[in-house]
Amino acid sequence: MQRRQFLTGSAIAATATLAAPSVVRAQTSFSWKMTNAYGPGSPYYVEGPGSPTDFCKKVEALSGGRLKIQHFAAGELIPALEGFDAVQNGIVEMNAANAYFWAGKIPAAQYFTTVPFGMDVKGTNAWMYEGGGIELWHELYEPLGMLAFPMGNTGVQMTGWFRKEINTVEDFSGLKMRIPGLAGKVYAKLGVNVQLLPGGEIFPALERGVIDAAEFVGPYQDRRLGLQKAAKYYYTTGWHEPNNVTELLINKQAWETLPADLQEIVKIAAMACNIESNAWCDATNAAAMQDLVDNFGVIAKALPDDVVAKLREVTAETLEEGAAADPKTRKVHDAYMAFKKQYGDWAGQSAEPLLPVLYKS
């Protein structure tokens, strides 16, 4: 009888001991802050399916409320482009932006937003998730006490709005154009006076002739800014941004305080937003493009082939110069281009012949 009671008591004690960590973990909760480089109410960048605010909701729901993230749009807690410093210094745990904003601090970061004549959204996701891209991103940021994951993608972006036609490469010379990232360096080599303006300042600058051309995102976002009222020539090819990644930047010390299951929830929610935001962009851009052409008299056309060829040539020079100047950029550049070559061979055999068959009108 005593032996039975002892064994029963031991089993209960052992069960309680094994269950204790789970109980403690379930009771542990975290309250984080996320800042954003974009202003309040911005579709995709702040609000809507797959947006940073949607990410925060997903994390809270998936974690059963154990991880709550309070989101602050640009200007609500810190200025638009101070998120990198805020995360690094532990002022906030997270920031949503684009890695090419930090080019002045880390030139190689640009490769984790977009690369002119680089990969499309499918190729970029393949590189990020299965080709070592995220690991390289972490390697780049960890010495600064941070890490990052993709949390959104606009897909291919339009070349931009121009107040006059572009027929030759010489037509770029002397143009004042709003354009960020590596593409700005390419345009500068062709005589463009590159301007860096936040989204809210693009329309008035283009309307008043302060700038002659502007790139923002795509039909839906551009129409929302009213750019179709300031310029009529809307060019494509998407050479400068064949995709555009939203960066989820995380303070590494804060990240390491999260238990493994919450870390996994953050990664899963970010991946879900990456897919969902791109689907939203494709759906809304399709309808907006038709509206711009049908109802606003917008002239949508591709850049001439010889212009694109020159842009490709100058892009290769620009990327090589950047890689030669910085060992970290060289490492990321070479890894990116090696994967692009492999992926491009496959895409050329599979997707390229298929697209005209599927979508030819």
Side-chain angles (χ1 to χ4, degrees):
M1 185 68 164
Q2 290 179 342
R3 180 174 178 275
R4 183 181 297 114
Q5 289 176 337
F6 172 77
L7 290 174
T8 303
S10 298
I12 294 172
T15 301
T17 301
L18 290 171
S22 298
V23 173
V24 171
R25 188 181 67 183
Q27 293 174 343
T28 303
S29 61
F30 300 83
S31 295
W32 282 15
K33 295 183 178 67
M34 172 193 281
T35 47
N36 197 315
Y38 294 90
S42 300
Y44 170 85
Y45 291 107
V46 174
E47 302 285 351
S51 67
T53 52
D54 188 31
F55 164 81
C56 295
K57 293 174 184 176
K58 282 177 165 58
V59 169
E60 182 172 351
L62 290 170
S63 69
R66 289 168 54 215
L67 176 54
K68 296 182 179 181
I69 306 167
Q70 186 177 6
H71 178 273
F72 298 90
E76 292 180 338
L77 186 64
I78 61 172
L81 298 181
E82 293 188 8
F84 187 94
D85 293 337
V87 172
Q88 185 178 19
N89 294 326
I91 297 170
V92 297
E93 290 82 9
M94 291 178 162
N95 184 68
N98 304 106
Y100 63 17
F101 289 150
W102 327 131
K105 302 173 185 289
I106 312 175
Q110 297 174 96
Y111 284 77
F112 299 97
T113 297
T114 192
V115 178
F117 292 101
M119 290 183 282
D120 62 6
V121 62
K122 287 178 62 180
T124 297
N125 281 338
W127 179 58
M128 289 281 194
Y129 295 121
E130 300 297 333
I134 289 178
E135 289 78 10
L136 268 177
W137 209 353
H138 290 177
E139 183 181 328
L140 192 66
Y141 281 8
E142 280 179 345
L144 301 173
M146 294 180 287
L147 64 156
F149 296 99
M151 188 177 59
N153 203 308
T154 66
V156 62
Q157 297 200 2
M158 294 291 284
T159 300
W161 298 86
F162 293 76
R163 291 163 64 91
K164 67 174 187 178
E165 281 190 273
I166 300 296
N167 296 309
T168 68
V169 173
E170 287 71 28
D171 290 333
F172 286 126
S173 183
L175 279 184
K176 298 184 294 293
M177 182 177 183
R178 185 271 182 189
I179 179 80
L182 288 165
K185 296 180 180 179
V186 175
Y187 274 126
K189 284 177 173 281
L190 296 175
V192 174
N193 183 351
V194 174
Q195 307 286 316
L196 297 177
L197 299 174
E201 296 180 19
I202 298 175
F203 171 73
L206 191 60
E207 183 185 40
R208 296 196 306 266
V210 175
I211 56 176
D212 307 302
E215 179 273 351
F216 187 50
V217 182
Y220 182 89
Q221 301 280 14
D222 294 3
R223 183 184 61 180
R224 181 174 177 267
L225 292 187
L227 301 185
Q228 71 279 3
K229 300 175 184 176
K232 290 300 178 186
Y233 294 101
Y234 197 26
Y235 281 96
T236 187
T237 62
W239 71 272
H240 70 301
E241 293 191 24
N243 83 110
N244 184 290
V245 177
T246 297
E247 173 189 75
L248 172 62
L249 187 64
I250 306 174
N251 179 279
K252 189 170 184 288
Q253 185 174 354
W255 175 255
E256 290 173 347
T257 67
L258 295 181
D261 66 320
L262 289 186
Q263 289 182 351
E264 194 65 20
I265 283 171
V266 169
K267 290 190 284 186
I268 289 171
M271 184 182 290
C273 286
N274 189 28
I275 296 169
E276 191 173 4
S277 64
N278 182 239
W280 180 87
C281 286
D282 281 342
T284 56
N285 281 333
M289 176 60 93
Q290 183 173 348
D291 179 50
L292 288 170
V293 173
D294 292 349
N295 300 313
F296 291 92
V298 169
I299 302 168
K301 58 198 303 186
L303 288 173
D305 290 345
D306 58 336
V307 172
V308 175
K310 184 62 177 180
L311 288 165
R312 183 187 295 274
E313 175 189 327
V314 177
T315 294
E317 295 173 0
T318 303
L319 294 177
E320 181 55 35
E321 288 170 1
D326 175 50
K328 292 180 179 179
T329 302
R330 167 59 69 195
K331 183 173 183 178
V332 174
H333 171 87
D334 288 353
Y336 181 95
M337 291 303 172
F339 190 89
K340 177 179 181 285
K341 174 66 170 65
Q342 183 179 41
Y343 172 78
D345 289 344
W346 161 239
Q349 293 171 340
S350 58
E352 187 175 349
L354 181 63
L355 289 178
V357 175
L358 292 181
Y359 299 111
K360 185 177 180 179
S361 58

